[in-house]
Amino acid sequence: MAKRFYETADIAALGDEFAVELDGRPVKTPAGKPLAVASRALARALADEWQAQGDKIDPKAMPLTGLINTALDRTPIERPAMVRSVLRFAETDLLCYRAEAPQDLVDLQHATWQPLLDWAEESFGVRLQVTSGILPIKQPPAALAALEKALDPFAVLEFTALASLAAACGSLVLALALAHRHIEADQAFAASELDHDYQISHWGTDEEAEARQRALRSDIAVAHSILTLLEE
């Protein structure tokens, strides 16, 4: 980790955007672009990450900066590949794979996940197939094409956040529901962790599982914050 070399992190206008500055000097992305966004609130959140650093700069403690760096440096160039990657989460969407037993888990999955699939069908014309068990099923090409079309309206920053959400949740439907404000971040977390929480309720947890859940909750919160702050 690099030693902290600045006193104050702040923001400044840069054309139509707001850039992060360290002691008045602009921060650059790894590719050399200004760390600048159109939202003042998002820029302020980025600056707050830099201001919160201690004697050494820990990139792992700046997840928002890392995701915005990806959005600015990689997404404009790699978006087609990223779209293909995101669609793979739809091909194996968490919400489509249900338990065969016990019945209370079957019922819980249906009550939690099916309304989200119904929303996707109503919103985007996406009818995904549902199965019981873990054997993979092939989703209809028309459904995947509709989901790909649903990604088109997302600008660079929003799409990067959406891709991160899909990866964190293992579900493109959950990511879209959160991005479209159909659900909140805590609901997305609960839906994505339904099976694990069921197991915990019956057999308890351990430090490794708790650490994994903390990381997942953080990933969802960071990506969701981009979507939220861009609206402010």
Side-chain angles (χ1 to χ4, degrees), residues 38-63:
S39 162
R40 180 190 291 272
L42 179 55
R44 172 54 60 191
L46 290 167
D48 288 346
E49 279 193 337
W50 286 87
Q51 187 63 37
Q53 296 301 294
D55 293 336
K56 293 187 176 181
I57 301 172
D58 182 5
K60 293 181 179 179
M62 295 191 290

Side-chain angles (χ1 to χ4, degrees), residues 35-175:
L35 183 59
V37 293
S39 162
R40 180 190 291 272
L42 179 55
R44 172 54 60 191
L46 290 167
D48 288 346
E49 279 193 337
W50 286 87
Q51 187 63 37
Q53 296 301 294
D55 293 336
K56 293 187 176 181
I57 301 172
D58 182 5
K60 293 181 179 179
M62 295 191 290
L64 188 58
T65 297
L67 201 53
I68 294 299
N69 282 340
T70 296
L72 297 177
D73 287 350
R74 293 178 50 199
T75 301
I77 301 171
E78 302 178 13
R79 180 159 181 155
M82 293 174 69
V83 167
R84 291 192 295 271
S85 179
V86 168
L87 288 175
R88 281 197 286 272
F89 291 107
E91 294 171 357
T92 58
D93 201 288
L94 168 73
L95 309 187
C96 297
Y97 288 82
R98 312 289 175 83
E100 298 176 297
Q103 191 58 47
D104 60 339
L105 177 57
V106 173
D107 294 342
L108 181 60
Q109 289 176 337
H110 180 80
T112 305
W113 293 348
Q114 191 57 47
L116 291 164
L117 292 179
D118 294 342
W119 169 81
E121 183 174 0
E122 294 171 4
S123 300
F124 311 113
V126 174
R127 184 187 291 272
L128 293 174
Q129 299 298 308
V130 174
T131 186
S132 296
I134 60 173
L135 292 178
I137 55 174
K138 188 173 182 180
Q139 294 295 350
L144 298 177
L147 283 170
E148 183 173 5
K149 185 177 180 180
L151 301 176
D152 289 344
F154 287 89
V156 168
L157 298 187
E158 290 92 337
F159 174 74
T160 307
L162 179 75
S164 179
L165 286 169
C169 297
S171 168
L172 179 52
V173 173
L174 269 178

Side-chain angles (χ1 to χ4, degrees), residues 142-223:
L144 298 177
L147 283 170
E148 183 173 5
K149 185 177 180 180
L151 301 176
D152 289 344
F154 287 89
V156 168
L157 298 187
E158 290 92 337
F159 174 74
T160 307
L162 179 75
S164 179
L165 286 169
C169 297
S171 168
L172 179 52
V173 173
L174 269 178
L176 284 168
L178 185 54
H180 282 276
R181 306 296 183 269
H182 181 66
I183 58 174
E184 298 297 330
D186 59 343
Q187 293 173 292
F189 174 81
S192 65
E193 285 294 283
L194 185 150
D195 288 350
H196 292 102
D197 286 342
Y198 179 88
Q199 294 172 10
I200 288 171
S201 69
H202 284 72
W203 298 291
T205 187
D206 55 41
E207 291 184 6
E208 183 177 346
E210 291 175 355
R212 188 193 62 77
Q213 285 201 323
R214 286 195 298 271
L216 173 61
R217 191 182 291 276
S218 175
D219 288 345
I220 292 174
V222 169

